[in-house]
Amino acid sequence: MTQRAAGAGDELAERRYEPVIGLEIHVQLKTRTKMFCGCELAFGEEPNTLTCPVCLGHPGTLPVLNAEAVHFGLMIGLALGCEIAPRSIFHRKNYFYPDLPKGYQISQYDIPLATGGRLGDVRIHRVHLEEDAAKLVHAGSSGRIHGAEASAVDFNRGGTPLVEIVTEPDIHSPQQAGEWLRLLRATLKRLGVSDVNMEEGSLRCDANVSIRPAGTATLGTKTELKNMNSFRFLERGIEAEIARQEEILRGGGAIEQETLHFDPATGSLSSLRSKEEAHDYRYFPEPDLVPIAPTDEMLARAREALPELPAARAERFERDLGLPAATAKLLAFRSELGDYFEEALAADSADAPALANWVTVELVPRLEDEDPFASKVKPRALARLVAMVSERSVSQSAAKEVLDVLAAEGGEPAAIVEQRGLGMAGANELGAIVERAIEANPKAAEEFRAGKQKAIGAIVGFVMRETQGRADGGEVNRLIREKLGA
Amino acid sequence: MSELLELSAAAAAERVRAGELSARELFELYRERAANEDLGAFLWVADEAPEVPADAPLCGVPVAVKDLFCVEGVPSTAASRILEGYRPPYTATAVERLIEAGAPVLGKTNMDEFAMGSSNENSGYGVVLNPWDRERVPGGSSGGSAAAVAAGLAPWAIGTDTGGSIRQPAALCGIVGLKPTYGAVSRYGMIAFASSLDQCGPLTRDVTDAALLLRHLVGRRDPCDSTHLEFPGEVSLPGAESLTGLRFGVWGLEEEGVEPGVAAACRAALARIEELGGAVEEIELPYAEHGLSAYYVIAPAEASANLARYDGVRYGARSLDGDLTSMYERTRAEGFGAEVKRRIMIGTYALSSGYYEAYYGRAQKVRTKIVESFRAAFEKVDFVVTPTSPTVAFKLGERTANPLAMYLSDYFTVPMSLAGIPAISIPAGLSDGLPVGLQIAGPPFSESRILDAAHALEQAIGFEGRRWR
């Protein structure tokens, strides 16, 4: 009996689990003004300077919907392949908190702006519009409301337009969550509707996480993770939560439905509220607003505003330019990098895969700023350099030196090659060096003549050292063989 | 001086326009009366007459404003202790339009706290006495505005009507009160009670004054109120003397609870309608009898959210007591009166998960049915006529212990609010020396026609309503 029980325990302990993850993303829209009033939107202003009676929730004030926010919402819905609701409505979500001046948040509930859609390998459940809460500043060591000595409210952020994007639970690993969020971020950035900065909070991601025995189809009890304000924290938070849930299930326990707060400093998760403590938000239709009924003109305008999106761009890079998938993605998901690459490609006759490789492998580590256009290396200059490598007028390693100079000082690659004598060694020069190399390596020369192919390596090495990389390996090989009469 | 008091607002404006009266003198006359009144009608009175442009159409005839309207820098409390000391940083659109038209604010009038009540006894700042009988209520919630106009403390006033709050006090004080079509007057700056029902309108001595004041309340779309609608054309000043060709559908006169004196006064008014050439017939209004039940779900539900902002964080009263939750609880426990708390609790309950469909969802269905009832009625008749209130003004304290009896005061006015249609109350006569109101309702945006018919009837009835001393 005891043995059997232990056996069953082992089985439980060794069971493999599959994580099931869905994301809820809040995106602050980069509109000129707030969602329901005329206050300007800006980040980093003096607290409570961008406010008015409406966004402070004064008695008698009424919300008026921001048309630009609707336009951005429609763009996002269309970009994610969603169906736009012919008539969506706002609801009031009721709860008390000092960052919520009206005592309710105006959000969308059962009839959101857009539903159903897909981005990459993840289906989109819904996209809706709402307003952001104000920002609480807690004095005291904890930085959170619990244990704070005092709290102040900055209403500048209150009423910022938000789009909430909810995915289906189609994600199965922390890495996939991170990668997909990067794709979403790139897509939103490309749309130009948000700054999508996770540290500044213009892109915020919550994760719903559950696990189930691998190979089964039912969903386990999920928990909601909040406060993961970077890609790394998102992956770490989900990883920690999967580990926590696995440990509970392996120990024979049950997962409790709750909301968890991720502490990036310690990597730990603490409970914010349990299912019993969950709010009853008492949603009801917002009587102060009329439904959003997008006209054909509004939809056409949103459609026309859509640029080529990262997923499509990556596909085009791969298909039309022959870039490897990973490079194509890298360039497409960082849209400035993609733009830089395309500008360089248009500027010279450089080979696309080679140029892409130079941008992603060589240029990126040399960038001081995220934005490649801010670098001293002009797209045209990089393209010329890559073309020179292809034309064999400069070697790979010399070209890297040229790039160093370009990054530090700017300029034209040809002039730098000329100034610094980094061009390929000429035929006469190379011939002389090859002769010296053979003289310096009589043993290797003899062995090679005797048929030992590998022996040529020592002679080639000598030449390369002498030319400091300004010689083409193939050409050097050819010359040596010629001199040795092979 | 007393001769000036006899003038209707429209007549006073004419005098000023003709140069026979100075706007300043008129303002000072009423300012003096409002500042020294003893009915409890005013919560705040202006210090001095503001400058009014010479060509302003309302010629400086001052208006009393229900304390539900925000006026920049002026105490605006909705008669609630929770807003004690609050001075808004902006002015309501309705008030701004009247100021622009040349009707400066005379003062802020008392009311039921947050417009919740039918007797003005729910004010956080004391009751208002009915100038017809000082032991009786003026009605509510715009009780201060109604009493002020009836007692000659103001030439005219604005109030708000959510379920009868203009019409019922107008009836109980023997004056004219009009609730316009929902959306006709901007709600921006009107402290919200039930957003889908609240509507601003005039309380005046006669029908012509109501039309004149309404003309300047409505108009172009207010960009600050998404539910505001541009008024179709200008409100015409009434001039009809005959009701020939018009059909009046009577509803509710036989209902249990209508006082015999009220029914008699209404019947007399119906006889006048027929004398003027109008056709009177009984009509059915299916579901209207359930109006009150639906109203007392929808209005408290919306109120429970609208009043959540009074939390002590940003403005108004704050009772500090330990942590955040205690601050919320004490601020609201001390700041709100009993009726307001009752409605917040009803509304919160009705919206709760698991009860929403049974209460809020069903109430909205009843509301839709009532809209359809009126639509069907207006295919047969031009106007629907009812008593405004089932009773005349009741004694102070008579119904305070019985909220349901109090709610029944609005039995006849609530259906029109739910349907969003315009309705006027005009004095029909007296019952035991107390005024009886007759309500005339029409389809959306039929204000000019309602006013015209009401004017003809008003002339025929010849009600003598001046109650000032």
Side-chain angles (χ1 to χ4, degrees):
Chain A
M1 270 308 276
T2 343
Q3 248 179 335
R4 266 192 69 192
D10 286 348
E11 195 186 301
L12 203 61
E14 281 161 21
R15 182 176 280 170
R16 282 171 37 83
Y17 290 98
E18 176 195 40
V20 179
I21 302 157
L23 301 179
E24 284 180 27
I25 301 100
H26 287 91
V27 187
Q28 278 186 345
L29 298 181
K30 216 165 55 174
T31 47
R32 199 175 59 76
T33 55
K34 292 187 178 180
M35 190 65 164
F36 297 117
C37 66
C39 285
E40 203 188 313
L41 276 182
F43 187 79
E45 295 292 311
E46 279 288 297
N48 295 314
T49 52
L50 305 173
T51 61
C52 74
V54 176
C55 61
L56 288 174
H58 270 264
T61 57
L62 298 170
V64 177
L65 182 59
N66 182 332
E68 195 184 13
V70 175
H71 175 61
F72 284 177
L74 292 175
M75 281 174 68
I76 293 172
L78 292 171
L80 298 179
C82 296
E83 192 176 320
I84 306 294
R87 190 174 169 283
S88 71
I89 62 169
F90 285 97
H91 271 65
R92 290 184 183 177
K93 180 180 180 179
N94 297 286
Y95 63 97
F96 284 93
Y97 212 59
D99 64 6
L100 197 64
K102 297 187 296 297
Y104 55 84
Q105 180 195 30
I106 302 178
S107 181
Q108 294 196 289
Y109 183 54
D110 53 359
I111 314 176
L113 184 72
T115 51
R118 174 182 289 277
L119 178 68
D121 48 4
V122 175
R123 287 170 301 152
I124 305 293
H125 177 61
R126 59 183 281 160
V127 173
H128 77 240
L129 290 167
E130 59 185 32
E131 57 178 337
D132 207 349
K135 198 173 149 195
L136 286 175
V137 183
H138 304 296
S141 55
S142 73
R144 290 172 68 188
I145 197 163
H146 300 289
E149 286 154 28
S151 298
V153 196
D154 177 6
F155 288 98
N156 283 0
R157 195 184 77 177
T160 299
L162 287 183
V163 156
E164 181 175 327
I165 300 165
V166 182
T167 76
E168 296 290 352
D170 287 351
I171 297 169
H172 299 289
S173 74
Q175 294 69 35
Q176 191 194 357
E179 188 176 332
W180 186 81
L181 190 61
R182 281 187 184 89
L183 170 59
L184 179 68
R185 181 180 180 277
T187 304
L188 296 168
K189 181 144 195 175
R190 188 82 182 143
L191 290 175
V193 295
S194 170
D195 289 332
V196 286
N197 185 321
M198 286 189 87
E199 284 74 23
E200 286 177 5
S202 51
L203 180 72
R204 305 198 283 269
C205 184
D206 299 338
N208 290 306
V209 177
S210 66
I211 60 173
R212 64 186 173 201
T216 61
T218 50
L219 291 171
T221 305
K222 69 177 180 190
T223 56
E224 190 182 1
L225 270 59
K226 289 191 174 290
N227 193 42
M228 296 166 296
N229 56 2
S230 77
F231 290 100
R232 204 162 58 89
F233 293 162
L234 173 73
E235 293 179 20
R236 274 178 52 199
I238 294 174
E239 221 160 82
E241 177 56 10
I242 292 169
R244 191 188 71 89
Q245 292 191 13
E246 282 187 359
E247 196 181 319
I248 291 172
L249 293 186
R250 291 215 167 98
I255 308 297
E256 250 183 80
Q257 189 180 326
E258 59 187 333
T259 303
L260 299 162
H261 177 95
F262 176 69
D263 183 351
T266 62
S268 67
L269 296 155
S270 56
S271 183
L272 274 178
R273 55 180 174 267
S274 69
K275 189 186 180 185
E276 284 71 37
E277 294 164 313
H279 296 294
D280 179 356
Y281 290 120
R282 306 190 310 281
Y283 282 98
F284 75 100
E286 165 58 281
D288 289 334
L289 289 169
V290 294
I292 304 178
T295 60
D296 290 345
E297 286 92 331
M298 284 162 75
L299 290 170
R301 207 165 72 79
R303 227 171 255 126
E304 278 160 25
L306 295 186
E308 183 190 33
L309 297 171
R313 200 181 200 192
E315 209 184 293
R316 176 168 62 83
F317 285 169
E318 214 181 317
R319 188 188 58 224
D320 296 355
L321 301 177
L323 304 196
T327 310
K329 246 186 202 175
L330 200 63
L331 289 173
F333 288 13
R334 272 181 67 181
S335 59
E336 329 80 61
L337 220 51
D339 294 345
Y340 184 97
F341 164 71
E342 294 210 78
E343 193 176 321
L345 192 64
D348 212 307
S349 58
D351 169 61
L355 180 61
N357 204 50
W358 274 85
V359 170
T360 55
V361 179
E362 299 300 336
L363 179 66
V364 168
R366 289 174 170 84
L367 293 178
E368 285 171 19
D369 191 270
E370 279 256 309
D371 181 8
F373 289 102
S375 139
K376 287 187 177 146
V377 188
K378 299 298 152 211
R380 172 182 297 278
L382 183 65
R384 185 83 285 273
L385 183 61
V386 176
M388 285 166 73
V389 174
S390 312
E391 293 156 5
R392 300 176 186 264
S393 61
V394 65
S395 71
Q396 283 275 351
S397 57
K400 287 177 194 171
E401 264 187 80
V402 175
L403 189 55
D404 285 337
V405 177
L406 284 173
E409 299 165 13
E412 288 301 319
I416 294 165
V417 167
E418 174 82 42
Q419 264 168 34
R420 311 215 167 195
L422 291 169
M424 286 294 197
N428 291 342
E429 187 193 351
L430 200 58
I433 295 170
V434 166
E435 275 174 25
R436 282 215 312 277
I438 292 169
E439 280 167 29
N441 294 279
K443 192 167 166 246
E446 197 170 319
E447 281 174 11
F448 181 78
R449 284 200 188 95
K452 192 177 172 192
Q453 295 289 324
K454 272 188 181 169
I456 199 171
I459 305 168
V460 172
F462 184 95
V463 176
M464 294 318 262
R465 271 195 306 281
E466 285 287 300
T467 58
Q468 291 176 315
R470 291 181 299 114
D472 179 73
E475 178 69 7
V476 171
N477 252 291
R478 197 186 60 76
L479 280 173
I480 297 170
R481 284 164 195 272
E482 197 182 278
K483 298 266 179 195
L484 294 177
Chain B
M1 173 129 151
S2 61
E3 186 262 348
L4 279 184
L5 268 184
E6 300 301 317
L7 297 172
S8 72
E14 275 315 311
R15 285 268 191 104
V16 176
R17 198 188 328 276
E20 297 159 18
L21 171 64
S22 91
R24 187 167 295 275
E25 187 189 342
L26 187 70
F27 191 96
E28 198 43 47
L29 163 71
Y30 281 107
R31 201 202 68 78
E32 186 76 24
R33 289 180 63 79
N36 296 304
E37 57 103 0
D38 59 359
L39 295 171
F42 280 88
L43 296 178
W44 176 87
V45 177
D47 281 336
E48 53 177 346
E51 280 305 319
V52 175
D55 58 347
L58 296 180
C59 303
V61 179
V63 63
V65 171
K66 188 179 184 179
D67 201 34
L68 202 67
F69 291 90
C70 286
V71 179
E72 187 178 345
V74 168
S76 304
T77 66
S80 180
R81 288 287 172 186
I82 210 161
L83 279 174
E84 191 156 10
Y86 174 67
R87 288 168 188 256
Y90 76 107
T91 298
T93 301
V95 175
E96 203 150 80
R97 287 192 176 180
L98 293 185
I99 292 172
E100 269 171 31
V105 176
L106 174 66
K108 302 294 289 293
T109 56
N110 203 347
M111 55 182 282
D112 284 299
E113 183 181 6
F114 286 108
M116 297 180 188
S118 307
S119 68
N120 216 114
E121 290 166 295
N122 297 334
S123 168
Y125 302 91
V127 298
V128 179
L129 311 180
N130 189 321
W132 289 79
D133 177 347
R134 297 165 76 92
E135 287 181 7
R136 290 175 189 266
V137 303
S141 66
S142 308
S145 285
V149 172
L153 308 175
W156 50 11
I158 56 171
T160 65
D161 189 315
T162 304
S165 281
I166 287 174
R167 292 161 285 165
Q168 185 257 16
L172 269 49
C173 289
I175 62 166
V176 172
L178 172 71
K179 181 201 91 74
T181 306
Y182 180 79
V185 183
S186 168
R187 290 185 295 116
Y188 187 68
M190 227 171 88
I191 298 176
F193 159 22
S195 312
S196 75
L197 296 157
D198 296 342
Q199 191 55 206
C200 161
L203 293 104
T204 55
R205 291 183 194 174
D206 62 31
V207 174
T208 303
D209 278 1
L212 186 58
L213 201 51
L214 180 68
R215 173 185 284 180
H216 296 284
L217 285 168
V218 301
R220 65 189 187 281
R221 271 263 299 129
D222 178 9
C224 295
D225 176 1
S226 312
T227 63
H228 184 229
L229 299 162
E230 185 173 333
F231 201 80
E234 196 181 52
V235 176
S236 48
L237 294 188
E241 287 170 7
S242 145
L243 296 174
T244 305
L246 295 173
R247 293 156 305 169
F248 293 76
V250 181
W251 176 68
L253 207 48
E254 309 299 325
E255 293 274 345
E256 197 186 332
V258 177
E259 283 178 353
V262 169
C266 289
R267 285 211 180 83
L270 295 177
R272 298 287 92 74
I273 289 175
E274 287 180 316
E275 285 165 22
L276 290 167
V280 175
E281 59 182 283
E282 295 264 333
I283 55 150
E284 302 269 321
L285 270 183
Y287 294 95
E289 61 186 309
H290 299 301
L292 264 188
S293 310
Y295 175 85
Y296 275 98
V297 171
I298 294 168
E302 293 181 8
S304 72
N306 282 331
L307 271 59
R309 67 188 61 195
Y310 309 109
D311 57 6
V313 173
R314 282 146 296 125
Y315 46 72
R318 171 192 287 178
S319 307
L320 265 182
D321 184 14
D323 66 5
L324 178 66
T325 308
S326 314
M327 190 275 280
Y328 282 154
E329 288 171 358
R330 257 194 67 189
T331 299
R332 292 168 67 83
E334 291 168 12
F336 288 138
E339 181 63 24
V340 171
K341 287 179 193 164
R342 180 179 296 121
R343 296 200 195 184
I344 290 174
M345 283 188 278
I346 291 172
T348 303
Y349 180 80
L351 290 175
S352 297
S353 160
Y355 297 97
Y356 180 92
E357 262 317 307
Y359 292 101
Y360 192 79
R362 181 170 290 207
Q364 289 293 8
K365 287 192 186 100
V366 171
R367 185 175 188 173
T368 304
K369 290 286 185 193
I370 290 174
V371 170
E372 287 164 6
S373 287
F374 276 109
R375 197 174 292 148
F378 290 130
E379 276 168 19
K380 288 183 235 147
V381 296
D382 296 289
F383 305 107
V384 169
V385 182
T386 78
T388 306
S389 162
T391 70
V392 293
F394 40 94
K395 289 254 169 75
L396 284 158
E398 191 180 309
R399 297 184 189 172
T400 44
N402 188 348
L404 287 181
M406 188 75 90
Y407 296 170
L408 280 170
S409 309
D410 297 327
Y411 181 85
F412 291 115
T413 49
V414 152
M416 291 73 179
S417 293
L418 289 170
I421 58 174
I424 198 169
S425 176
I426 62 166
L430 295 175
S431 166
D432 288 334
L434 291 168
V436 171
L438 183 78
Q439 175 176 232
I440 306 172
F445 292 112
S446 64
E447 279 85 346
S448 288
R449 288 195 288 121
I450 291 176
L451 286 159
D452 223 23
H455 173 76
L457 187 55
E458 175 186 55
Q459 302 305 306
I461 292 170
F463 183 76
E464 178 41 65
R466 292 178 165 80
R467 297 305 297 168
W468 42 85
R469 297 181 278 194

